[in-house]
Amino acid sequence: MWYFLNVIFNILNKKIYNYFPYPYFVSVIHLFVGVVYCLISWAVGLPKRAPIDSNLLKLLIPVAVCHALGHVTSNVSFAAVAVSFTHTIKALEPFFNAAASQFILGQSIPLTLWLSLAPVVIGVSMASLTELSFNWTGFISAMISNISFTYRSIYSKKAMTDMDSTNVYAYISIIALLVCIPPAIIFEGPQLMKHGFTDAIAKVGMTKFISDLFWVGMFYHLYNQLATNTLERVAPLTHAVGNVLKRVFVIGFSILAFGNKISTQTGIGTAIAIAGVAMYSFIKARMEEEKRQMKAA
């Protein structure tokens, strides 16, 4: 379900950008639909809303800010370049994670892990050099989103609480929405009021425009919710491998859906990067497993 929703989200999202290129506004809609969904779920008691206090709020705000920044920059990249290319760059996330663990958290990262990341960096570089839709906005935005999501995972570890993942994700969505609204108004407000909305409605009609935005928001929220719930239920290795395969799925389906031409070198680079991420995920999860067994012993 997580893969299925993710693939549909990515394809529908890019289709919207093809006639409505306003990533800041669309990012707000993604979060807004999710927040409305959470509020309705809480209202009917599925799940019951967990109470939040100022201490927990202090822990969740940095997570939500990183979530908002990573989300908006991902969308700027999706709007600027091919979906498959954004996902290839986002395969660098483990590299940023390892760097942050070593240099910010002070955890020592073994040489084998660093070596497994070499193919990821080489693969992404190869893919970038010959990517036909390449532009710097798309590339830099995807890189900023990698750094934001790395910080998000660092802060998430600090904010691990007894609250269930569904409630945590709901609170993060609400805070992230509040963070995303001002930049959307500043950067895109005037253009949207002048011609953005009227152009989109002229191209696809009011009904399709509204239903596209509603569904893309639903798919965004549900795939994130499912990813969070999956993480709760499986070992780190399973989740890490799941994440790698998800990229393969999304890259493959987006190329089919949009008929993107990709050069042979971009294809090979993407494959090398994904293989590197798979290696990294295996080694990292094995280390986690050994750590857990030593604790148990």
Side-chain angles (χ1 to χ4, degrees):
M1 282 304 288
W2 169 26
Y3 285 15
F4 172 71
L5 293 170
N6 197 292
V7 167
I8 293 182
F9 162 73
N10 275 283
I11 290 171
L12 181 55
N13 206 34
K14 184 63 178 179
K15 282 186 171 164
I16 291 171
Y17 288 135
N18 287 343
Y19 69 80
F20 184 68
Y22 296 94
Y24 288 86
F25 178 77
V26 175
S27 300
V28 167
I29 293 294
H30 291 157
L31 291 164
F32 176 72
V33 173
V35 166
V36 171
Y37 177 91
C38 292
L39 295 176
I40 294 169
S41 302
W42 277 341
V44 298
L46 285 168
K48 260 175 76 72
R49 186 179 77 82
I52 188 167
D53 57 23
S54 58
N55 289 335
L56 184 55
L57 197 59
K58 272 187 206 134
L59 289 173
L60 287 182
I61 285 174
V63 181
V65 170
C66 294
H67 181 64
L69 182 61
H71 178 51
V72 170
T73 47
S74 292
N75 275 286
V76 170
S77 180
F78 284 138
V81 293
V83 174
S84 51
F85 182 50
T86 301
H87 277 280
T88 304
I89 303 167
K90 283 169 77 66
L92 277 174
E93 210 175 300
F95 176 78
F96 287 99
N97 265 325
S101 299
Q102 177 112 33
F103 302 116
I104 296 168
L105 296 178
Q107 300 168 349
S108 67
I109 301 289
L111 186 63
T112 43
L113 259 191
W114 283 114
L115 290 175
S116 72
L117 287 168
V120 185
V121 177
I122 294 163
V124 171
S125 310
M126 270 177 74
S128 303
L129 287 173
T130 54
E131 168 58 44
L132 304 172
S133 74
F134 184 91
N135 65 47
W136 283 106
T137 306
F139 181 80
I140 291 166
S141 299
M143 281 299 207
I144 295 171
S145 105
N146 277 338
I147 296 165
S148 306
F149 286 141
T150 296
Y151 273 97
R152 182 184 69 180
S153 69
I154 291 172
Y155 288 126
S156 295
K157 285 193 180 73
K158 290 181 184 168
M160 278 295 175
T161 62
D162 298 334
M163 196 189 284
D164 63 291
S165 61
T166 307
N167 270 302
V168 169
Y169 186 65
Y171 283 121
I172 287 172
S173 296
I174 293 168
I175 304 165
L177 174 62
L178 298 175
V179 173
C180 287
I181 290 171
I185 294 169
I186 295 162
F187 291 122
E188 292 176 349
Q191 295 147 290
L192 284 170
M193 298 321 287
K194 210 184 287 175
H195 53 75
F197 293 125
T198 45
D199 286 359
I201 293 163
K203 281 178 195 158
V204 296
M206 175 74 93
T207 317
K208 181 169 165 51
F209 180 48
I210 290 172
S211 82
D212 276 0
L213 289 176
F214 168 74
W215 284 112
V216 83
M218 277 307 284
F219 285 125
Y220 172 75
H221 181 77
L222 292 172
Y223 102 70
N224 273 296
Q225 186 60 72
L226 273 166
T228 315
N229 295 358
T230 309
L231 182 55
E232 256 189 346
R233 287 176 173 77
V234 297
L237 173 59
T238 318
H239 201 268
V241 174
N243 235 332
V244 178
L245 290 177
K246 182 200 77 181
R247 294 227 187 279
V248 178
F249 259 71
V250 173
I251 289 169
F253 276 105
S254 69
I255 289 169
L256 289 174
F258 298 105
N260 293 344
K261 297 273 181 291
I262 64 161
S263 66
T264 314
Q265 187 176 324
T266 297
I268 293 168
T270 303
I272 292 172
I274 296 290
V277 176
M279 260 166 47
Y280 169 84
S281 305
F282 276 118
I283 296 168
K284 176 108 168 111
R286 262 230 323 270
M287 283 164 45
E288 297 280 330
E289 200 52 53
E290 280 164 17
K291 231 189 268 170
R292 199 180 298 121
Q293 282 169 356
M294 275 165 69
K295 260 191 196 150

